[in-house]
Every structure is written in structure tokens, then in C-alpha cells.
Amino acid sequence: MLGEAAVFPVRRILCVGRNYAAHRAEMGGADDREPPFFFSKPADAVVPPGRDPVYPSATSDLHHEIELVVAIGAAGFQVPVDQAAKLVLGYAVGVDLTRRDIQARAKDKGQPWDAAKGFDDSAPISAIRRWTGPPPQGRITISVNSQVRQDATIADMIWNVPEIVAEASKLWRLAPGDLIYTGTPAGVSAVSRGDRVEGAVEGVGEISFRMT
Ligand code: MN
């Protein structure tokens, strides 16, 4: 799961929720002063490049969320923002697949999101591109059957990458093998069995799969 044919052993998957204002608005217009937050997926939710995810059970409203993914390559705990880049090995393009109908019911009842977010094959990801220097800032896009659904700019994130890593490290001891999905822009919509999904983050890479 790493460029140059190396393998990145996934340890933990953290995900940021409501990290783009336009997506926060489309999901119900939560209070603008509410900061983003974390949820997680199990490590075995990852779908590596070259494999197609299986359409999950128990949903009739599976949504794509295209996201920049941070691959953590060094341990850190309670890391200040200006040191956070030292933990980053590289970046990938990921899709946070979401059972939106189950998530809506969970929100209504104040229940956890595990069944909505942390199911089998819920975390397709591209190869990881090793990276030094300032984090990606460019365009992030996804299309379904060649129709563009999400098209935005990484620079529009509410928490930027160093802030995300620093915030995560307040809550967890980050370690090599951790992945952080950094949130999705507006335009989330449904995918069906057989759909071709193609996403990209400028400078980072591309992801392509068919829902099977
Ligand atoms: Mn997401």
C-alpha cells in the first residue's frame, strides 16, 4: 500500500468529520462554531489499490466521501502544530464509504457511528505517496460513472493537516501505520453496485474502483 512496492502495515484508521464548511452545511448545518471531530474505522476496513470493494449489507444509501489521507510514519503524542509534519510519511487518496441511512438513524437516536462508518471494505485507498514539505493544497475530485460529484480544494479544510495531526495526538498516541482520513468536501451522493468510482487529489494520486 505504499509507492515503490513497499507495504504500509495499517494500524489504525482515524477520520475527521465535518472538516469542510460546505459539506457541514449539506449535512444539516451544524453550528458554525463547532470544531471538526474524530471517529474511526477498523484497520481491516482498508481496501488496497487493485481490489474492488464489496457493496455492504444493510443499506440502500451508500455514499462516497473523497478524502485526502495522511499516512503516519513516526510516533508522537501531544505534538504541537509546528512539529506535526515530522510524523507524516506521505499522503494517499481515500474514500470514506458511508451507510448514510444508518448514520441518519444513529444521529436521530444519539447512537454511535460504528455501523455507519466502520463496516467491511469501507475504506478504499490509493497507494501512499511519500511526501516532505508543505502538505497538499490542490484540487480534490471524485466522479461516479464519469460524472463529477465532488470537486473542491484541499485548502478549504477547516483544520489543515498539521492541525489534524496535532489534534489527533492530543487524543491518541500516534504511531507508524496510522491513517487519518481528513474529511470530505460537499457533494456526497449515492453509489450503487456496478458503479465505477474514480477520485484524485492533485499532486498525490488517483483512486479507481468498481462497487461489486
Ligand atoms: Mn468522511
Side-chain angles (χ1 to χ4, degrees):
M1 247 193 53
L2 189 62
E4 303 112 44
V7 172
F8 184 81
V10 179
R11 173 180 181 264
R12 177 159 57 194
I13 306 172
L14 301 175
C15 306
V16 182
R18 297 184 194 137
N19 199 27
Y20 290 80
H23 173 62
R24 184 166 61 184
E26 78 179 347
M27 293 310 294
D31 188 330
D32 284 355
R33 294 162 298 185
E34 280 291 306
F37 57 89
F38 292 97
F39 59 92
S40 66
K41 295 175 184 265
D44 64 3
V46 159
V47 182
R51 188 163 77 71
D52 290 327
V54 175
Y55 193 95
S57 60
T59 186
S60 55
D61 196 21
L62 180 70
H63 275 202
H64 57 79
E65 297 188 353
I66 187 72
E67 309 202 3
L68 173 70
V69 182
V70 181
I72 298 294
F77 184 51
Q78 299 180 328
V79 179
V81 171
D82 65 1
Q83 301 293 307
K86 294 179 179 174
L87 274 58
V88 176
L89 174 76
Y91 295 94
V93 185
V95 180
D96 167 14
L97 290 174
T98 301
R99 288 160 160 159
R100 195 69 75 199
D101 40 6
I102 291 181
Q103 186 191 37
R105 290 198 292 273
K107 284 180 177 176
D108 282 348
K109 295 177 180 173
Q111 292 175 345
W113 286 9
D114 300 58
K117 291 289 196 177
F119 52 91
D120 298 339
D121 284 4
S122 61
I125 193 168
S126 72
I128 295 166
R129 179 157 187 186
R130 288 181 186 271
W131 196 284
T132 54
Q137 293 285 296
R139 197 168 170 198
I140 179 167
T141 59
I142 193 168
S143 67
V144 178
N145 301 327
S146 302
Q147 290 199 317
V148 176
R149 299 277 184 88
Q150 294 178 272
D151 186 349
T153 305
I154 298 292
D156 289 342
M157 292 197 303
I158 294 168
W159 281 347
N160 63 28
V161 168
E163 290 167 342
I164 289 166
V165 172
E167 287 290 330
S169 82
K170 292 178 184 174
L171 297 165
W172 295 277
R173 294 176 184 280
L174 298 180
D178 291 346
L179 296 174
I180 308 178
Y181 282 59
T182 60
T184 200
V188 297
S189 64
V191 284
S192 303
R193 287 180 185 80
D195 282 349
R196 167 62 59 183
V197 178
E198 294 171 299
V201 174
E202 190 177 348
V204 173
E206 298 175 349
I207 187 169
S208 177
F209 59 83
R210 184 178 297 279
M211 287 305 310
T212 60

